[in-house]
Amino acid sequence: MIADASIFVGIALLLFFIGLAGFIKSKSAIRMLIAVELMLNSANINFAIFALYNDVGFVTGQIAVIISIALAAAEAAVGLGIILSVYRNHGTVEATDFQSLKG
Amino acid sequence: MSNIAIILLPFLILIGTMIICLLLEAFNIARRFTPPITIIGGFLSLYSVILSVNGDISYLFGNPVDFLDVQTTHTHTHPSGLFIIDDFFRFFAIIFLIVLVFVAISSSDYMKTDYNLGVYYSLLILATIGMMVLVAANDLLLIFVAWELGSLPVYSLAAYQKSRAETSESALKFFLIGAMSSAFILFGISLIYGITSSTGSLTPTSLETVIASFADLSSYSPLHVLALMFLFVGFGYKMAAVPFHAWAVDVYQGTPTAITTFLAAGSKAMGFAAIMRIVVVGLTDLGEIWGMIFAILAVLTMTLGNLVALVQTNIKRMLAYSSIAHAGYILIALAAAANEPAAAITGLIDITVGSFSIAAAEFHILTHAVMKIVAFTVVIVVSFSVGSEEINDYAGLRKRHPWIVFAMTIALLSLMGVPPLAGFISKLFIFFSALYADLIWLAIIGVINSAISVFYYIRVIKLMILDPPAEELIESHTVNVESMKTYRIPMSYAMAIGIGVILIILIGVIPGAIFDFAVDAANNFIQS
Amino acid sequence: MITQILFGENGIGVLTLIFLLPILAALPTWFIGRVREGFARYFALLMSVITFGLAILAWMMYENHSLLDSSMHANRDALASGGWTLVVNIPWIESIGMNFSLGVDGLSMPLVLLSGFIFCIAILASFKDIHEREPAYYAMILLLETGVLGTFLATDFVIFYVAWELVLVPMFFLIGIWGGPRREYAAIYFFIYTHVASMVMLLGIIGIWLKSADYPEVTGGGGTFSFDLLRQIDFGAETFVLLIFLALLFGFIVKVPSVPFHTWLPLAHVEAPTPGSMILAGLLLKMGGYGLMRMSGWFLPHALTEFAWLVAVIGIVSLLYGAWVALRQVDMKSLVAYSSVGHMGIVLLGVAAQTEEGFAGAQFMQIAHGIISPLLFFIAGTIGHSAHTRDIPKLRGIAKHMPITAAVLVFASFASAGLPGLAGFWSELLVFIALFEWVPVLAFIAIFGIIFTAAYYLWMLQRTVFGDKNPELSHAHDVSHWSQYSVLGLLSLFTLILGLFPALLLDMMTEATAFFESQF
Amino acid sequence: MAEEVILIFGNFAILIPIIPIVASFIVLFIGKYYDKKAHGNLIALIATGGSLILTLLVSGEIIFRLLFDHAHIEEKIVTTWFQVGDVKVEIGVLLDPLSVIVSLMVALIAFLVVVYSRSYMSHEGSPRYYAEINMFAAAMLTLCLSPNFIQLFIGWELMGVCSYLLIGYFYEKEVVPEGQPHPASAAKKAFLTTKIGDIFLFAGIILLYLVTVAASQRYHGIYHPSFDFIEIRHMIEAGVIPGIFDPGLFAFIALLIFGGAVGKSAQFPLHVWLPDAMAGPTTVSCLIHSATMVKAGIFLIARSYFVFEFADSNALLIVALIGGITAIMAGSIALVQTDIKGILAFSTISQLGYMTIGLGVGGMAVAIFHVINHGIFKALLFLSAGSVIHGSGTQDIREMGGLKSHMPDTWKVMAIGSLSLAGFGNGFFSKDAIISHARNHIVHEPLIALVWLSALITAFLTAFYISRMWFLVFPGENRSGHDIHESDGWMTKPLWILAIVSLVLAGIYSVGLIGSTFKIELFSLFNIEHHMVEWLEGGIGPVFDFETGSTSIFVTTIGIALAYLIYYPRAKAQITFPKDEPSFKIDVPEAPSDRITNIQLKVRSFVRGVKASAPGRGVQLILENGYYIDTLYLKLVHLFYEYYCEAMNWIEKNVFDRAVRLTGRIGFALCGFSKWWDDTVIDGLVRLTGRASVALCSLAKATDERIIDQGLIRGSAKGVMKTGRYMSHVQTGVVENYALYSLLGAIAIIIIGLLMAGVFPL
């Protein structure tokens, strides 16, 4: 049955890597945060699809999606808080500019 | 009910402590008691864990109908429960709680001037709870939740000193990388769910199901491998294994040192615990695959960590690289656990190569945690006294703080692997696990790396003890001469450091009991 | 009753006491020194004397001395087959079968006695030499004592390694804190060099453990670290065993040290405080020799047969090269250091010959050099202390300024140069008998080392002891403190006693020498 | 084995060396307080005296038994010293004719020297001096009485040390006369030069021991190797060795042992130390460097003569040749010496050459015979020279002259000694015996003819230089104007004792000679030479060779006469030496021509003419520099020390040390490199991969436009510039880069995982 779902899995994978690429290529911290959300959501697609196609109880995957969305939100909250404090300190949120710690 | 309460007592105590801290904060009463309360709570929790060490495996929250039922068994036959409370859990819980207590002690002076102490300590406790749940989790989703619970408070803690520029910078890096790793983990879990759910299991994310579905090599698809690898990458970040290590160095340097301790000693252990739970034990049949990957990563991690540590000038960065190197040593044991896990070790009763290796890894995680606690606490003290974290500013420190220097020396010697300190014994076990698993080459590389590591540790010892304080140091702006003259080491640090040093020596001299416990934990864990 | 508990069959064991007493005394020494300045030295001396006394007691038990109650007599049955006596065997890490096991045999007994003795002497020598941070200093010395004694007493490779490494740390601090002007460099150099070598040795130890797993009939399955089991295994000379041998050999000859791995020694000697040099030359080098002898005789005899030429060449090069370089030295301590390189070369030669005579000679050299070189270092240190320089060209006419020191220096130089009737000669005789029997050509080359040895000592004596009064040394004064007299007197006395009564030492190791030869 | 011999005094023989060695320590520690004025001389005196008495008793007993019981005495009183493996070393005494005769001479001279020192060293002495003298006596007696090679070697080396200490006795000398070495330097030279010989001896002893390992197996049936003289001799005599080892090997061992003798007995080419050794007090030169210690080499060869006899005959030939070379070389150098001790030193070397010749031509007994005689008269000569130096305050014979009138005792005893050395007293008999042995030996070895010739020439030279010395010292007028006085009784009495012993010995020999020539039973009992041969070699003594005897008397007489003609001042005239001439050292003295006879005048002007000629000058120069042997050695040692050792030191400082540090530095460079690698190359790769993956994404047409845009733009436009910037950064500190690391890692891991899982066929 995986075969049926494989197209969706492919899409999810693609989405994940798009997110990753976005993470890598972005300069702005906020943009990177969004890219991470994209990656998380690609996993959510998987959960939903697998729940639909495979799961006998239909439940686990969907619960997983809900949990994941909740966690992503929490993460975003923390992340935005940090970004805010960074902005206060540095006046910018361009991650590339933060290079004082290196070597 | 009572049964469950007793089993979950460590968690309950922590939650209670956290609530008290928050309440004190909220009502603004007796806030200065927050640190002692946290310490006492952590200690009570630790004590309850130690009391419950008995080799039993308890499954909790298994049957939706009989939600609060506890099953205690050694030979379970059916999937049962979200939580497994076994000796493996207890071993790691002890590590996390030790870290919690120590970090709480060493933060108490650090955070004295901060106004929302309660939040700080409750975040600390929350992260500890998350890490403990992770070790106890028997379900992939729970693992992910616990992972987030163990990570999110730490992001906040890392950013806690909002006003410091480099702190917020490092917190940002930490957060971004951490979030990315979470995404990797979640994606991996989703793929595994896809595989297991197709088998018609009712509990597709339960670890038993996962293991069962991965047990059959013949039905392997790229998806299996892909899923595992995603998980691996995700956990690799927390372990700071090369090539997922780069964030660690910057973050260790930039974060307040107490949190660095928490990261180096606690979070790292969480990464290892997770990977052991899911990969090492659960999927033994895939040993060949990830055994090789672990071995390669171990070599890379050790070598890079040790070599780059040599050229560091900042003590926290150096310790960070040393931490990376130690992750490499632990990876040796994991690689060993993979190679021939079921093979018996002749001469040793009830110990297989797998359980020995896992025990060695656990043991090293423990000793590494203790050593790093001492080292980083010393760094805190010195940064207050000398006002610098540059290695060169440690010159002639013995004239100022002989005891601190003594403790640092013991910690560094132990990290170096000088007998009879803890670091030597645990490294020895690790090399042994490699030998038992016929990975002689890995052991040899480990020994060579261990030899390389001498250089950078001994440099610090030399500077502290043998060198006079540099002239320019006195005049340098980096050093607060006034504070150096007047600084008195707070009792809390002295206590933390003292206990740590005693632990290092004790573990080194009589490792038997603890290692036996580690072996029990490993055995227990493999059975479950 | 108490003797039963302490020394009896199932008691704590005298060796455990010897091993633990110094390290347990280290912290009290430090505290006593903090409480009352100047007491640390007496306490440390007391403790080291008690340790030495225990070592003598162990020796009497070992010899089944008639003064002792027969219940305290050691069981010597195992000695003839290379075993140990007065064995202590306490489980240490049960889960992997590691034991805290100690024992003595003909090879280790003399070295244990020597260690006990030299530490007493070194502490005595510190009385007038060390005035800075005494409590820590004496604590370090006692810590070092445990390491050294542990190396000789251990009958388990892990204990051996632990003790071996334990030595490094206190020595590092002794050099680094109480040393000369370049002490930091020397301390680091010493530490890193020997530690890296130890790591290679550890590889060898791991190797031998792995290899032992191939002999389950002896080990009962699995690898073993137990000396007692390892000596029962007949390791062949296959490639892996040879590699193990080379790894261990490297660890040992760095410690010995032999050319070309000797560079740490002159540096460490010159920079270390005088008592540190005494311990370094008297005991630390012996650890390497001991390891070499133990390994080649007890565990890997066939590998030694394969690599005897290598050991011999290293020995001969050390002997000659050490002497040549010593001829050009300016610093007295450095000269004595190079002489140590040369003399320890003789140990290597003795072992390489694979005979009773060679083994006995090598061991005799270990003990003799262990007594004579501390004496020389003490004199060099005293002269340096008194004359404010140890540079040979700047010293002249010491005999006029410091007659007693000069006299003992002459005595010690001749003893070191192998004067018959003193301790050094017998080892040369025995080693050369073995060498001539083995490869005469090598012996003929090596024998010239004797001339060069005599040459650098006499050349040194001519420039330092003799000559007219030196106005620049008018401030120099002779030894005057009782501790200095006792150091000079005791070391000279033992040099003489060992020279006149070599049987004292050789009888102790009859079984060991016979076993050594029977291995080949 | 001979029949059981019961000895009374022999049982106490072990005390002979023990008494002085114990006394040596006593003197060292209490000499400062007891008998303070004489620096503890009394203790040393009692000890050496006691030792002498005991030696007299023991040797008397043994000689008595030898003479009248004709017993074969070879008594070994030993105890095991130690044993390790097969090596068993014993300690004790061996009483046989050889040991007691030599011990007797040693004990006698040691005692007399200590007596003499009481006065001679009254100002310069110290307890140390007596301790060392006693220690030396003990060492020499140990050597003489030792039953095995090990004990012998111990005595041998201990003597070397005592010699070292005593040569360097005046170590604090600030300035030394030009041309003379500093005592400390001389002592070092003596010790090291003899040490070269010693290591050959050491090797020889060990090789011989190893020979007995196999031999004993055949002899006893068990492995019972030994260092014991008698044991080894029995093995050789029992013929067990020939089958195993060939005489060639034995010749090698024999020559190694002879090497030891060459060093100790100052034979060519290791003779250079002995003249320098005169830097010590004269008593020391007497005791150690002429009468006793230097004889140890001869004694050693006599002791191990069975090895030489068994060995290939070339070994003994080499011994004889070395002896011949030494004798003539040293004799010729003695001709030009101006230092009174220098003359005696070269004379000693020359006489030792004689003894070596004796050994080399098979006359072991006569060599020992000469050892005894030479010991007596050379001790006499040295002590007299000491008296002369003590009395005149100088050592230079050019500054002496006319001492006869001031030193009534000394000139007489010195005359007796000189005559003896020249070949007219007791020295005649033993020297003659050696020459005649050499002559008889020519039949076996034609080359010995050269040796014989050299012995004869040396006899002439000896007579000449010793007469020269005597003539320049005693007759005539004093040339320096020093205040000269005769020495006191503590010094003259030992001289007289020695002189009388010398005369008595000469008398005894003469009686014995007469006895054996005319077959008078009673008189032939006194034929010591005969007895010596009988006791030591077990053969029948040789018949006195009148031809040789007359030849040697003839050359001796010529030598004395020539010296007389050239040097005898004739009257109490003031004679001077032309000091401005470059080679005045051997120049003949100038004296008013009317004071000397015609023939003297002619001889002197002839000699002057010869010396003024070019060849004459060359010869002079060569002789004055001792054939440049010393110079050559010095040059070699200098080269060794300055260049070779320096090269080694350079290697030590630069190669080894640098190598270690270089290793360290390479290590650090490696770290730096790996850091750079980590930071730039891997980083670059990571970025590349990242870009590739981004490109991949764009190809899939499912990408966010902006990301593609930005990625492509940045990738293409700023790629090069950026790469350079990243390369220049050490560590980026940029968080996306860290993510890229991970991406690379993740991809690698996934690929490895897939490959290993066998999902994709490799």
Side-chain angles (χ1 to χ4, degrees), chain C residues 400 466-468, chain D residues 120-121 123-125 128-129 132 164-176 181-185 187 278-284 341 395:
Chain C
K400 278 288 154 194
F466 302 130
D468 54 331
Chain D
Y120 185 78
M121 296 296 283
H123 300 301
E124 292 158 324
R128 181 164 77 81
Y129 170 79
E132 283 160 5
Y164 169 81
L165 293 172
L166 285 166
I167 295 170
Y169 185 74
F170 297 123
Y171 62 82
E172 75 273 26
K173 256 188 194 169
E174 278 177 56
V175 275
V176 288
H182 190 276
S185 160
M278 297 300 141
T282 309
T283 46
V284 171
K341 286 173 78 179
Q395 296 193 17

Side-chain angles (χ1 to χ4, degrees), chain B residues 418-492:
Chain B
V418 170
L421 301 172
F424 165 71
I425 291 291
S426 58
K427 245 185 228 178
L428 195 69
F429 284 136
I430 288 200
F431 296 148
F432 263 87
S433 64
L435 295 178
Y436 282 132
D438 286 338
L439 291 170
I440 300 165
W441 62 274
L442 202 55
I444 290 175
I445 293 175
V447 170
I448 292 168
N449 259 293
S450 196
I452 294 170
S453 71
V454 176
F455 288 83
Y456 57 86
Y457 294 124
I458 199 75
R459 188 158 65 101
V460 179
I461 296 178
K462 176 206 161 227
L463 272 166
M464 290 191 304
I465 297 184
L466 308 186
D467 283 0
E471 279 303 314
E472 64 270 28
L473 182 66
I474 304 297
E475 290 149 19
S476 151
H477 66 279
T478 58
V479 178
N480 188 339
V481 182
E482 273 313 300
S483 76
M484 213 171 138
K485 282 189 184 133
T486 55
Y487 186 73
R488 286 186 58 82
I489 301 157
M491 201 56 210
S492 53

